[in-house]
Amino acid sequence: MRFITPFVVALTGVTATSAQGNCVSDAMIVFDGSGSMAEMGFNDINEPRIFEARRAMAAAIPPIAENRRLGLVIYGPNGVDECTGLDVRFAPIADAAPRILNDVNMLEPTGSTPLTEAVSLAARTMDYQTQPATILLVTDGKETCGGQPCALAADLAASGFDTTVHVIGFKVRGSFFSWERDAENSYTEAESVSRCLADFTGGTYTNAETLDQLIAALRKTLGCQLLF
């Protein structure tokens, strides 16, 4: 068995190095600040999504930011109309956790959901056509401003230098008054239309319904797995 050991060690070293490289490159977080993040009640949610989202970010982001430069885009509030609230808070920087958590904690969710343009804005901020770009979209569901996420996904895959989009669907809800409520893609098991952004670019799509699931999804998509 002695002759196998060097090979196993070498292979393990390659895998660890590869994973480490993927989890320390620059990344942009695209965070849903639309009005639906403040909803509760009829949609089987006991408190506004933003409350749990803040707690999840506080738990997950600080250790991730120790190893990775992060940037932040928030969409929803502060637009001149429902669909123009798009804000690049900052491009990837070192030790970004305090700024990210402050911006998320101060956020007052309003507006609609221009998630397609928000992801495009994050990609352009990272100069995705000439540089590697990792983007994490945290969203509670649908594109409501006329964007076409799957068309954007195809463009990012075709013209990006090395662009990966991960998507976390947080407490995504289907149509409340649908005749297909008992179908597989039902009211509380719906997926965000933005899943294709992950599918087309080699990213991951994760449904998160609880605080713990959201924390785990943030760590999985942005963090180095050996740290968690």
Side-chain angles (χ1 to χ4, degrees), residues 72-84:
L72 179 65
V73 171
I74 291 178
Y75 66 83
N78 303 320
V80 297
D81 58 37
E82 284 289 302
C83 289
T84 56

Side-chain angles (χ1 to χ4, degrees), residues 135-215:
I135 300 165
L136 170 63
L137 170 63
V138 181
T139 179
D140 65 11
K142 301 175 181 177
E143 162 71 54
T144 61
C145 290
Q148 299 180 14
C150 295
L152 173 62
D155 176 69
L156 295 177
S159 63
F161 178 83
D162 181 13
T163 304
T164 304
V165 182
H166 302 293
V167 180
I168 300 175
F170 180 49
K171 294 184 184 292
V172 177
R173 295 293 181 259
S175 175
F176 188 80
F177 296 105
S178 172
W179 291 106
E180 300 178 354
R181 286 287 300 278
D182 293 330
E184 181 179 353
N185 195 30
S186 68
Y187 181 58
T188 59
E189 297 174 351
E191 291 182 344
S192 171
V193 66
S194 58
R195 174 169 190 148
C196 57
L197 286 163
D199 291 343
F200 284 24
T201 64
T204 60
Y205 178 87
T206 309
N207 264 332
E209 185 66 22
T210 68
L211 172 63
D212 287 344
Q213 288 172 351
L214 182 54
I215 292 171

Side-chain angles (χ1 to χ4, degrees), residues 87-110:
D87 187 2
V88 179
R89 296 300 175 94
F90 50 91
I93 59 172
D95 302 317
R99 288 188 63 178
I100 291 174
L101 299 184
N102 180 71
D103 284 356
V104 170
N105 288 337
M106 296 297 291
L107 175 63
E108 296 183 6
T110 57

Side-chain angles (χ1 to χ4, degrees), residues 1-14:
M1 294 296 292
R2 288 183 179 179
F3 66 94
I4 298 177
T5 303
F7 174 76
V8 172
V9 172
L11 181 59
T12 303
V14 170

